[in-house]
Amino acid sequence: MNLKSGRIEGFERYSQFESLKEFNTHVEMWLAVKKQEFSKGELVGLKRLVRFSVKVPGVCNAKIGTLLKAINEEYQGNGISRSTFKRMLGIAKDLGILTIYETERKNGSQTSNLYCFNRFPQSEPPKAEKLNHPKETNNLLKTNHKETTKRNEAPIELDHTFVSDKVPQTFVQLVKYFFTDAKTIEEYWHMVQIAAFRFDCHQHTEDVLAIAINSFKQLVRKLKSTKTVAKPVAFFYGILTNKLKELYLAQLPEDRNERQSLRYVLRTGEVMYYDWLHTES
């Protein structure tokens, strides 16, 4: 059954986020790992949809025509086509970024869709029923042929030589001396990608790499000097964000009023990127 159209405030129950800051954080993480799935034009459409999804965090019911008009005005007539925007919606839906609901007017005719951003998936603990399920006891007098013939093989741990090509070798060569498995090295670089997108520094690859290396060295120093670091990856991310924030602030425009506006945005976390500063109501 289709939803009835209405004001955006009437769709608050479809929001999965407690605040705009939380919504922005989850969009950051989606882009950090899925940005390459979109073309340049499709990313323009996705970012515009994000900008229209702030009144109710993560929810938008604007018409495609309205979204395309805003894009066209921003790019001075060089916007994207309707087919490009629809293709972006299909990709985002298939990746799990969006859930799309059809809406209809009171007379039953179809109107604009409702676009709901999903939370970035996190690892969840085992369900309660699985934890509380009693283990079956083995009857020692019986011999299970399958169990006796089955080989107990330990999972294979991949070393640093199996790290993805997307991780710079300079970073790999440093981290491997302290964390040798490929999965952990890739996890640290994943934090670098998220932080770089957060402060719109992802295009400054050399600066970001240098800051990542320096931040990891500070983490190692902390680990060697104290035992109070419970989560090294989280500690690394904290060091990294502070340093990237300095890089971001150093690149702010010269105009004093605009600098103050951008500093406010950075402090409150209301908008992720500089090109999302002027959010439509």
Side-chain angles (χ1 to χ4, degrees):
M1 181 178 178
N2 292 347
L3 303 176
K4 296 297 181 182
S5 61
R7 295 176 60 84
I8 188 62
E9 292 84 358
F11 297 106
E12 289 184 353
R13 65 184 183 278
Y14 289 93
S15 174
Q16 301 181 27
F17 309 96
E18 296 294 330
S19 65
L20 186 55
K21 182 178 180 180
E22 184 183 35
F23 168 51
N24 286 338
T25 299
H26 280 261
V27 173
E28 288 177 7
M29 292 188 287
W30 276 119
L31 287 176
V33 297
K34 298 297 184 182
K35 180 183 178 182
Q36 67 276 8
E37 303 291 337
F38 298 91
S39 67
K40 185 176 180 180
E42 291 161 357
L43 276 176
V44 169
L46 179 61
K47 289 184 178 182
R48 178 60 59 172
L49 185 60
V50 171
R51 293 172 66 174
F52 269 74
S53 304
V54 295
K55 197 165 188 178
V56 175
V59 179
C60 172
N61 66 342
K63 297 179 180 179
I64 292 180
T66 302
L67 293 159
L68 293 177
K69 181 180 178 182
I71 295 172
N72 195 55
E73 290 176 353
E74 180 179 357
Y75 289 89
Q76 300 178 347
N78 297 313
I80 63 175
S81 66
R82 179 178 288 266
S83 60
T84 299
F85 192 88
K86 286 188 173 181
R87 188 166 58 249
M88 175 276 294
L89 293 176
I91 295 172
K93 181 180 178 181
D94 291 341
L95 293 174
I97 299 174
L98 281 178
T99 298
I100 303 176
Y101 300 95
E102 293 184 351
T103 65
E104 61 182 23
R105 300 181 180 90
K106 292 182 179 180
N107 62 8
S109 60
Q110 189 175 351
T111 182
S112 58
N113 291 330
L114 182 71
Y115 306 105
C116 302
F117 281 86
N118 297 319
R119 299 174 67 85
F120 187 80
Q122 305 285 342
S123 57
E124 299 180 355
K127 294 182 179 180
E129 57 267 23
K130 183 175 290 188
L131 288 175
N132 297 331
H133 187 72
K135 292 184 178 179
E136 295 182 0
T137 57
N138 293 326
N139 188 338
L140 298 179
L141 298 178
K142 295 182 179 181
T143 303
N144 189 322
H145 179 69
K146 291 184 178 180
E147 289 183 357
T148 56
T149 58
K150 185 178 179 180
R151 295 170 57 191
N152 295 323
E153 297 181 355
I156 300 174
E157 184 177 284
L158 304 179
D159 64 14
H160 70 277
T161 60
F162 289 89
V163 173
S164 169
D165 292 339
K166 295 180 181 179
V167 184
Q169 273 300 308
T170 308
F171 188 78
V172 174
Q173 294 303 314
L174 170 64
V175 180
K176 74 175 185 180
Y177 289 108
F178 306 94
F179 303 99
T180 58
D181 63 295
K183 184 177 180 180
T184 301
I185 297 174
E186 290 175 353
E187 184 178 5
Y188 275 97
W189 185 249
H190 180 58
M191 294 298 103
V192 176
Q193 290 179 301
I194 292 176
F197 274 103
R198 177 180 180 183
F199 295 103
D200 199 20
C201 299
H202 52 282
Q203 295 180 346
H204 304 279
T205 54
E206 293 184 3
D207 291 335
V208 170
L209 177 58
I211 289 173
I213 290 174
N214 185 270
S215 299
F216 188 81
K217 288 180 178 179
Q218 289 196 26
L219 167 66
V220 172
R221 181 178 179 181
K222 185 70 175 179
L223 292 173
K224 296 294 184 180
S225 61
T226 181
K227 297 182 179 180
T228 59
V229 181
K231 297 182 178 180
V233 173
F235 192 86
F236 170 72
Y237 183 75
I239 299 173
L240 193 64
T241 52
N242 287 333
K243 291 186 175 297
L244 287 175
K245 184 190 297 183
E246 295 175 3
L247 176 63
Y248 176 85
L249 293 175
Q251 296 172 349
L252 292 183
E254 295 297 329
D255 182 81
R256 182 178 179 181
N257 292 332
E258 193 169 1
R259 287 176 64 92
Q260 290 177 345
S261 297
L262 285 167
R263 287 176 184 272
Y264 174 77
V265 168
L266 183 61
R267 185 173 63 254
T268 59
E270 290 183 350
V271 184
M272 286 189 300
Y273 306 121
Y274 171 75
D275 65 335
W276 297 355
L277 176 62
H278 304 290
T279 304
E280 288 82 2
S281 59

